[in-house]
């Protein structure tokens, strides 16, 4: 059985406070994008994981897909061994949530394939144990996220189907823990849902990703990409998550497929 885990962008990202559990309370809008990995799971004699496409750093044994399998297997001991094949197309360390999506879709696929009969609420509970934003990838729709990014509510005002998006992924990896260490958490002066409810053309300079200031100081090329997207006519441009992907929202009829940046992959969506 094959499934296609999708990525996301953050429309605004406010870091509000540091929690007692070491995480941070945030406010953001998660918006799903049709840039996907490919995930296949088949029954096997022993558990195994194989990845192709973009190289995944670190020990394969620590991959979130395997962690998702073992998390379910603890509660469902009859879950058979499986072979997991993940083809990576979503850039890694770019703030697009590819790893979290792979984990969430592993839970979804195992639930469907082996008839575990888990409800959406139960699947979300498992997903949250794997990562703060994992539960979002079970939604398949824009969500306003608070708490660690795990408290989700539908967001209907940020529909972008009437626009074209360009996602620029430079060859830069931003460590999320480092990025959080550079943030001075603060209560925002304006509500993010109210800001994003305005027309997209009004978002510039008011819908802010708090990570841009520290990340752009270290990687000024990212600020240059953002400004270049505005120069080419983007209504709105921003970094996603803690970076390093930069996205631009353009009018549907704007010609942008000739855009190019050195040492960067571009996705036109």
């Amino acid at each position: 059985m094959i499934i296609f885990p999708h990525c996301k962008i953050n429309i605004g990202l406010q870091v509000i406070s540091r929690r007692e559990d070491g995480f941070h309370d945030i406010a953001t809008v998660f918006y799903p994008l049709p840039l996907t990995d490919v995930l296949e799971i088949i029954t096997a004699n022993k558990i195994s994981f194989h990845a192709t496409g973009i190289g995944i750093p670190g020990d394969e044994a620590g991959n979130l897909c395997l962690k998702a399998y073992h998390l379910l297997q603890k509660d469902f001991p009859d879950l058979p061994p499986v072979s997991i094949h993940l083809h990576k197309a979503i850039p890694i360390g770019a703030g697009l949530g590819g790893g979290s999506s792979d984990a969430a879709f592993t839970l979804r696929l195992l639930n469907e394939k082996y008839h575990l009969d888990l409800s959406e609420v139960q699947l979300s509970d498992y997903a949250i144990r794997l990562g703060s934003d994992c539960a979002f990838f079970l939604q398949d729709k824009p969500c306003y996220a608070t708490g660690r990014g795990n408290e989700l509510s539908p967001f209907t005002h940020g529909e972008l189907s009437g626009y074209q998006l360009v996602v620029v992924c430079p060859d830069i990896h931003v460590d999320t823990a480092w990025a959080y260490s550079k943030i001075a958490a603060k209560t925002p002066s304006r509500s993010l849902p109210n800001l994003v409810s305005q027309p997209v053309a009004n978002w510039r300079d008011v819908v802010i990703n708090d990570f841009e200031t520290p990340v752009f100081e270290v990687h000024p090329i990212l600020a240059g990409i953002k400004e270049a997207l505005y120069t080419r006519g983007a209504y709105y441009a921003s970094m996603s998550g803690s970076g390093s992907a930069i996205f631009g929202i353009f009018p549907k009829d704007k010609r942008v497929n000739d855009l190019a940046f050195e040492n960067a992959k571009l996705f036109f969506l």
Side-chain angles (χ1 to χ4, degrees), residues 116-133:
L116 303 182
D117 296 325
L118 292 168
S119 68
E120 287 298 315
V121 172
Q122 289 172 311
L123 279 174
S124 293
D125 287 341
Y126 281 110
I128 291 167
R129 291 159 66 183
L130 292 168
S132 296
D133 60 351

Side-chain angles (χ1 to χ4, degrees), residues 51-64:
T52 55
I54 298 172
I56 302 174
D59 185 0
E60 284 190 350
N63 186 271
L64 282 172

Side-chain angles (χ1 to χ4, degrees), residues 146-157:
T146 54
R148 293 164 34 200
N150 60 319
E151 298 173 17
L152 305 170
S153 57
F155 191 81
T156 58
H157 301 287

Side-chain angles (χ1 to χ4, degrees), residues 162-176:
Y163 302 89
Q164 59 178 324
L165 275 75
V166 178
V167 182
V168 185
C169 296
D171 188 19
I172 294 172
H173 182 278
V174 178
D175 181 76
T176 300

